[in-house]
């Protein structure tokens, strides 16, 4: 079901949409008795893709500003298809970013030189991105855009679902935390270089970043690239991997010491993207700031990067912990709980892993407590449900992905044998059916797959919405807004839309988006971007919401 900017629709009966639809005429709706959006969205829609967006013009081969997009309405789970309610009650308003992949492009612990080989084998396409040195500018542009939105209608929080960094390096995390907290970033490691002489005209120039407004709580999840080399290999197994890979595939397939002075593909920053196929091995300037992060160091350093902020990524109680799962009540007066899971395996693989202890001794008790307390529940994790599996299945999938090349298949099979199964893990079906069995679970927010996607997860008795946001490294480089509203009549809704970073005054950020489009475009069907997702509210929670 769709409502558009171009029509004013009224229809009789339970299937009718009530009220006018989006459009440039929305200004006239601010005092209209038939408005159907949440209060926050009515204040900020002009800053989103509901008003204008960036699209590729096939005729002139350029990205350009286009008119805004329609909103899709989904009623998959409603027992009765009541029309949208006028002036729904706003319960929560927040932003979502994911998969920034802040990268030390010159690190020797990369597979940039192998990008075309791995892409041809359909194993990976993330060894090299032509826009990678400009991510600091586009990230700053996105944070500034989100700050402007929050100044118009205050965010209850900003959520980041992981892969903040690309290759588990300390220097990458230092840059990321500065990007989020504000200050100066000098995006150079090893030798300090200026490929285009002057300031502010290339991706290696120092830049001052605004950082997230200090009044916005900031919550995060751990992604596989945050703590694993290439998003797959634990730093402590680097030498094991090399001992297997080098004799079979050659030295160019080894992961070199990130702090060392040798690289399989020496990257010399340029004003235009380099060709990874032409990289040669050689000496580089060593840099101890490239040291690998353990899981505990990642969580502690992330927390400490926020200075005096009450919340910066993870609760301070998690400092020094190996896994980062937690829950919080974002708005004290609202019966709603945010549960953040840690789905990243510390022993390897890019797939999502949830150990039995986290599932049985954290997630289930949190869900039970939320049920007893009469709270709606939002789940957040890096991995979507279709990527969550037992560790044994994940290892098999790793091996199967490489079947097209006998040597690569042999390497990965041997390496998987060194991934010790320390804990029991659950499968994806157990995960989704458990969430769906709780009628108060309404939303699961994820990243990882670098595309916008909205999925209705149906259970035996109820269901919930899984919403995935595209990455900030790949086109369209968008963030997402969420407003949870209560319509009345025991019906709630998730109003969500995506946001382009406003980069008109930032030449490098604009260039970053253009290169991202040339690299890879995941611009999917609009029903996965701007949507109203409706759900039934359990009676005991509906009573609470009626009197808020």
């Amino acid at each position: 079901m769709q409502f558009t900017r171009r029509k004013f629709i009224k229809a009789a009966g339970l299937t009718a949409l009530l009220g006018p639809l989006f459009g440039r005429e929305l200004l006239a709706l601010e005092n209209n008795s038939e408005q159907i959006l949440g209060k926050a969205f009515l204040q900020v829609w002009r800053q989103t893709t509901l008003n204008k967006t960036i699209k590729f013009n096939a005729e002139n081969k350029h990205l350009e500003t286009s008119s805004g997009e329609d909103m899709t309405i989904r009623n998959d789970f409603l027992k009765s298809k009541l029309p949208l309610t006028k002036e729904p009650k706003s319960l929560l308003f927040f932003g979502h970013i994911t998969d920034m992949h802040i990268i030390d492009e010159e690190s020797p612990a990369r597979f940039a030189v192998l990008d075309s080989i791995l892409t041809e084998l359909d194993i990976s396409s993330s060894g090299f991105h032509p826009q990678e040195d400009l991510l600091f500018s586009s990230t700053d542009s996105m944070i500034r855009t989100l700050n402007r939105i929050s100044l118009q209608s205050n965010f209850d929080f900003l959520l980041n679902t992981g892969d903040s960094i690309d290759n588990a390096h300390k220097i990458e995390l230092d840059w990321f935390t500065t990007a989020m907290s504000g200050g100066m970033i000098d995006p150079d490691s090893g030798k300090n270089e200026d490929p285009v002489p002057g300031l502010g005209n290339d991706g290696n120039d120092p830049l001052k970043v605004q950082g997230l407004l200090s009044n916005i709580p900031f919550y995060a999840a751990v992604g596989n690239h945050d703590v694993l080399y290439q998003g797959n290999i634990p730093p402590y197994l680097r030498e094991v991997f090399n001992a297997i890979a080098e004799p079979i595939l050659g030295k160019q397939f080894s992961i070199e010491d990130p702090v060392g002075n040798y690289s399989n593909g020496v990257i010399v920053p340029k004003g235009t993207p380099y060709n990874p196929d032409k990289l040669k091995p050689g000496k580089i300037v060593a840099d101890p700031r490239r040291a690998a992060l353990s899981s505990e160091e990642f969580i502690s350093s992330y927390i400490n990067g926020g200075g005096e902020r009450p919340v910066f990524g993870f609760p301070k109680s998690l400092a020094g912990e190996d896994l980062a799962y937690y829950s919080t009540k974002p708005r004290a007066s609202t019966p709603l709980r945010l549960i953040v899971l840690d789905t990243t395996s510390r022993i390897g693989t890019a797939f999502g892993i949830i150990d039995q202890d986290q599932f049985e001794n954290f997630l289930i008790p949190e869900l039970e407590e939320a049920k007893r307390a009469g709270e709606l529940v939002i789940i957040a994790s890096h991995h979507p449900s279709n990527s969550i599996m037992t560790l044994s299945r994940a290892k098999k999938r790793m091996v199967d992905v490489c079947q097209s090349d006998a040597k690569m298949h042999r390497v990965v099979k041997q390496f998987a044998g060194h991934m010790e199964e320390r804990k029991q893990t659950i499968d994806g079906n157990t995960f989704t059916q458990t969430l769906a069995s709780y009628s108060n679970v309404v939303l699961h927010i994820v990243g990882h797959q670098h595309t916008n996607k909205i999925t209705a997860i149906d259970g035996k008795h109820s269901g919930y919405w899984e919403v995935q946001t595209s990455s900030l490294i790949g086109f369209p480089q968008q963030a997402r807004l969420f407003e949870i509203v209560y319509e009345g009549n025991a019906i709630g809704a998730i109003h969500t839309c995506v946001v382009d970073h406003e980069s008109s005054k930032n030449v490098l950020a604009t260039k970053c988006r253009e290169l991202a489009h040339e690299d890879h475009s995941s611009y999917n069907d609009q029903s996965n971007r701007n949507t109203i997702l409706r759900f039934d509210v359990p009676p005991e929670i509906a009573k609470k919401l009626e009197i808020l």
Side-chain angles (χ1 to χ4, degrees):
M1 185 183 300
Q2 298 242 347
F3 66 88
T4 72
R5 289 176 299 285
R6 296 173 292 279
K7 298 178 182 178
F8 182 91
I9 298 176
K10 285 188 177 181
L14 295 178
T15 59
L17 291 183
L18 188 63
L21 305 183
F22 277 113
R24 298 186 178 181
E25 303 78 18
L26 190 59
L27 278 172
L29 300 181
E30 291 180 352
N31 298 313
N32 193 303
S33 63
E34 293 180 328
Q35 65 190 28
I36 55 178
L37 288 184
K39 181 179 179 181
F41 264 50
L42 283 175
Q43 293 174 325
V44 306
W45 72 277
R46 298 171 189 81
Q47 309 300 319
T48 77
T49 55
L50 296 171
N51 180 37
K52 60 181 180 179
T53 191
I54 306 295
K55 289 187 177 179
F56 182 69
N57 187 316
E59 293 183 4
N60 59 29
K61 308 297 183 184
H62 287 294
L63 294 178
E64 60 183 33
T65 300
S66 176
S67 59
E69 296 186 335
D70 300 340
M71 198 87 161
T72 300
I73 300 171
R74 293 187 61 174
N75 294 302
D76 301 42
F77 300 129
L78 287 195
K79 295 182 177 67
S80 58
K81 304 296 190 293
L82 291 173
L84 291 169
T85 302
K86 306 173 188 178
E87 301 181 350
K89 185 180 297 182
S90 182
L91 303 179
L92 201 67
F93 179 54
F94 61 97
H96 177 218
I97 56 175
T98 192
D99 295 84
M100 285 187 186
H101 288 271
I102 293 295
I103 186 170
D104 177 5
E105 59 168 338
E106 298 172 67
S107 169
R110 294 190 59 192
F111 280 158
V113 69
L114 302 174
D115 184 63
S116 60
I117 297 174
L118 296 175
T119 300
E120 186 176 337
L121 294 174
D122 198 27
I123 294 172
S124 171
S125 60
S126 60
F128 162 75
H129 298 282
Q131 71 274 19
E132 59 193 23
D133 64 324
L134 300 174
L135 290 174
F136 304 98
S137 294
S138 61
T139 296
D140 181 49
S141 181
M142 178 57 80
I143 297 303
R144 289 174 184 268
T145 299
L146 293 174
N147 284 343
R148 285 195 292 271
I149 289 173
S150 187
L151 287 173
Q152 291 180 302
S153 186
N154 290 336
F155 281 143
D156 287 293
F157 61 90
L158 178 67
L159 174 67
N160 170 26
T161 49
D163 279 3
S164 307
I165 60 179
D166 189 72
N167 214 24
H169 289 4
K170 184 180 186 300
I171 193 170
E172 293 175 342
L173 185 57
D174 288 344
W175 286 335
F176 169 78
T177 54
T178 302
M180 296 305 299
S181 60
M184 289 296 300
I185 295 178
D186 186 356
D188 255 316
S189 67
K191 183 180 179 181
N192 200 332
E193 291 159 305
D194 187 16
V196 181
L199 295 175
N201 54 17
D202 66 68
N204 288 73
D205 287 338
L207 71 159
K208 185 175 182 179
V209 294
Q210 186 177 82
L212 187 66
L213 292 175
S214 60
N215 67 323
I216 302 175
F218 177 44
Y219 299 109
V222 179
N224 52 300
H225 279 265
D226 293 328
V227 293
L228 302 173
Y229 287 148
Q230 311 298 320
N232 278 272
I233 300 169
Y236 72 89
L237 288 181
R238 181 181 69 86
E239 292 183 0
V240 171
F241 175 82
N242 290 346
I244 296 170
E246 286 184 25
I248 300 172
L249 298 171
K251 185 170 174 55
Q252 74 271 27
F253 276 84
S254 65
I255 300 175
E256 295 299 327
D257 182 2
V259 306
N261 64 353
Y262 178 83
S263 176
N264 286 326
V266 177
I267 295 173
V268 178
K270 298 169 62 178
T272 56
Y274 56 84
N275 183 347
D277 294 334
K278 295 183 178 180
L279 297 178
K280 303 295 182 183
K283 295 284 186 178
I284 62 172
V285 176
D287 195 331
R289 297 178 300 165
R290 293 185 181 129
L293 287 159
S294 69
S295 179
E296 296 89 345
E297 289 170 333
F298 174 80
I299 295 167
S300 293
S301 298
Y302 200 128
I303 293 169
N304 295 332
E308 298 302 314
R309 292 170 184 251
V311 181
F312 189 78
F314 309 104
K316 293 182 179 179
S317 60
L318 289 177
E321 294 291 321
D322 176 52
L323 294 178
Y325 49 86
Y326 57 96
S327 73
T328 185
K329 286 196 64 177
R331 190 187 288 185
S333 61
T334 301
L336 192 150
R337 181 177 304 217
L338 171 66
I339 300 175
V340 180
L341 301 176
D342 191 328
T343 57
T344 292
S345 167
R346 302 306 196 263
I347 66 173
T349 99
F351 295 108
I353 303 294
I354 300 177
D355 64 272
Q356 195 77 29
D357 181 63
Q358 181 181 176
F359 179 71
E360 289 187 351
N361 298 320
F362 171 71
L363 178 58
I364 298 297
E366 285 290 332
L367 292 174
E368 287 294 324
E369 176 58 31
K371 182 179 179 180
R372 285 192 296 270
E375 297 169 341
L376 297 175
V377 173
I378 297 173
I379 306 290
S381 67
H382 178 65
H383 295 86
S385 58
N386 65 4
S387 182
I388 293 173
M389 58 192 72
T390 61
L391 185 57
S392 58
R393 185 177 176 220
K395 290 163 67 175
K396 185 179 185 302
R397 287 280 297 274
M398 279 181 64
V399 175
D400 291 346
V401 165
C402 300
Q403 283 183 335
S404 61
D405 183 87
K407 289 184 177 180
M408 185 69 73
H409 183 261
R410 183 179 160 197
V411 167
V412 175
K413 187 174 182 178
Q414 287 188 36
F415 179 71
H418 289 269
M419 293 167 54
E420 180 186 353
E421 297 192 40
R422 303 173 184 174
K423 302 176 181 179
Q424 290 187 322
T425 52
I426 67 166
D427 62 79
N429 185 62
T430 297
F431 175 71
T432 55
Q433 291 308 303
T434 297
L435 294 187
S437 69
Y438 288 85
S439 59
N440 57 328
V441 173
V442 297
L443 176 62
H444 180 201
I445 303 173
V446 301
H448 185 61
Q449 292 177 346
H450 293 208
T451 186
N452 291 307
K453 185 179 180 181
I454 296 176
T455 306
I457 306 293
D458 211 348
K460 293 180 180 179
H461 304 292
S462 62
Y464 63 93
W465 297 101
E466 182 175 281
V467 179
Q468 181 174 285
T469 302
S470 61
S471 72
L472 290 180
I473 186 173
F475 188 81
Q477 295 189 329
Q478 291 174 330
R480 185 181 286 276
L481 303 184
F482 289 91
E483 185 172 13
I484 313 298
V485 304
Y486 180 61
E487 297 185 7
N489 299 311
I491 294 176
I494 302 156
H495 294 186
T496 184
C497 71
V498 293
V499 178
D500 295 313
H501 60 83
E502 194 65 55
S503 58
S504 57
K505 297 181 180 179
N506 188 327
V507 175
L508 295 181
T510 298
K511 182 179 178 183
C512 183
R513 181 158 49 202
E514 291 171 349
L515 290 172
H517 183 269
E518 294 174 13
D519 179 45
H520 176 70
S521 174
S522 64
Y523 211 69
N524 48 19
D525 179 77
Q526 68 184 39
S527 64
N528 288 293
R529 296 192 290 275
N530 302 341
T531 316
I532 291 179
L533 308 168
R534 303 176 81 196
F535 58 88
D536 287 307
V537 178
E540 65 277 11
I541 301 178
K543 290 179 182 178
K544 291 184 176 183
L545 299 181
E546 293 287 353
I547 61 176
L548 278 181

